[in-house]
Amino acid sequence: IAKNGSTHRYDSGWELIRFKELDNTNLEWTKHHQIIISYIDPEGIPRNYYPDLLIKDPQTGYTWIEEIKGQETELDRAKYKAAEEFTKSLNIGYKVLNLTYFKGKI
């Protein structure tokens, strides 16, 4: 259960670490968002991408999407490219938290 009382299911230990970090901030966050980003995979197949988190800083209004990712694949890079275009069109940020971010936090 998050500090705001909502319940979030984590898909990895890294997500749980991030949830706990976010709960120790003044940021508003949710995994229960309605964001779906359409993209074309490396084989030309249309797919949908459901980012991990939507986060907002209530003090500044800055909003961003976060993806928590272990090992990256070519498919992931296609998702990232689509997400960067999507978030740019909405004037919000996009961040991928990977091994570099979580190193030493596990």
Side-chain angles (χ1 to χ4, degrees):
I1 296 180
K3 71 178 177 184
N4 67 3
S6 61
T7 301
H8 297 276
R9 173 193 260 175
Y10 56 91
D11 296 326
S12 70
W14 288 5
E15 279 192 7
L16 179 59
I17 289 168
R18 185 62 176 147
F19 292 178
K20 289 178 179 181
E21 283 180 343
L22 290 168
D23 271 348
N24 288 320
T25 69
N26 291 323
L27 300 172
E28 298 170 358
W29 65 277
T30 187
K31 191 168 171 91
H32 305 296
H33 54 74
Q34 303 299 316
I35 298 171
I36 302 170
I37 301 170
S38 298
Y39 71 102
I40 306 297
D41 77 10
E43 296 178 7
I45 300 169
R47 297 190 180 270
N48 289 321
Y49 164 42
Y50 306 86
D52 291 325
L53 297 167
L54 177 64
I55 303 170
K56 180 178 182 178
D57 183 333
Q59 293 179 338
T60 65
Y62 181 67
T63 302
W64 69 96
I65 292 172
E66 277 188 4
E67 179 65 19
I68 298 168
K69 184 53 78 181
Q71 189 169 356
E72 292 181 354
T73 65
E74 188 176 346
L75 182 63
D76 294 318
R77 288 185 284 279
K79 290 179 192 178
Y80 302 164
K81 182 179 178 186
E84 288 168 358
E85 292 170 9
F86 175 84
T87 54
K88 185 176 182 180
S89 73
L90 295 178
N91 199 29
I92 64 174
Y94 180 69
K95 298 177 184 179
V96 177
L97 305 182
N98 56 25
L99 177 61
T100 302
Y101 179 86
F102 288 99
K103 192 174 183 178
K105 296 182 183 210
I106 300 173

